[in-house]
Amino acid sequence: MPPKAKITKEMILNTVMEITKETGFETVNARSIANKLQCSTRPIFTCYENMDELKKEFLSFAYEYYQQYVTTYQDSEKIDSCLLLPLSYIEFAQEETYLFKFLFIDDMDLDMKKATDFYKETDNEKRAKLFAETNGIELDRAKVIFLDLFLYCHGIAVLTATKKMALDKDTAKRMVMNVLSVFIKQENPNWILKG
């Protein structure tokens, strides 16, 4: 009889991803993982001390998946760079609903007591600087616009992920373009969205 395959962290994380995408992270537990891997729960707790440790590692794993999604979206869509994050975020909410809910609703690591807390996350600070440079806007104003844009798009994404609203790509793009045009033209009247 051949030896059983060793269960690795990568196998566990991929299985958690599969379960999360199918039925949501709330259905992930040692038993559901073991059933998918056709093993006992022992290998899971050999790799991870407990489910909290697994969840923490899965958050990073899932966020890397999201970042790859954005990169793939960028490669496949011909859109202005300032539309990339908003439109890929909305589409991710529609296509990967359970994963979106896990990352950006249930376990979103964002604690905003005041609006500027949005920029405690270093990625948001970097994105706002790029947004300022790309659109010819002073950084302080760009940060206000970028946060407003995030809040607007997050609302749309949550509505689509919770099936309260359905949007096709063209409608989502038009909505984001309308808001961006209003915000940016107040600061840079010569700004033109390339679409």
Side-chain angles (χ1 to χ4, degrees), residues 2 9-10 45-46 61 71 78 80-81 113 156 184 193:
K9 281 188 171 188
E10 185 177 353
F45 294 113
T46 299
F61 185 78
T71 300
K78 304 292 183 230
D80 191 282
S81 62
K113 302 282 188 264
I156 293 171
I184 294 176
L193 183 64

Side-chain angles (χ1 to χ4, degrees), residues 57-115:
E57 193 164 322
F58 180 67
L59 271 165
S60 296
F61 185 78
Y63 191 71
E64 285 176 27
Y65 178 90
Y66 167 70
Q67 289 176 313
Q68 183 56 51
Y69 181 93
V70 173
T71 300
T72 302
Y73 188 90
Q74 181 178 21
D75 294 343
S76 67
E77 299 291 324
K78 304 292 183 230
I79 56 173
D80 191 282
S81 62
C82 64
L83 293 173
L84 173 63
L85 290 175
L87 293 180
S88 62
Y89 189 73
I90 293 166
E91 193 156 317
F92 185 75
Q94 289 180 312
E95 290 182 4
E96 299 288 358
T97 301
Y98 287 121
L99 200 52
F100 176 85
K101 287 178 183 178
F102 173 71
L103 285 170
F104 301 114
I105 299 176
D106 301 335
D107 282 275
M108 187 176 213
D109 189 24
L110 186 61
D111 187 16
M112 290 178 43
K113 302 282 188 264
K114 53 187 188 251

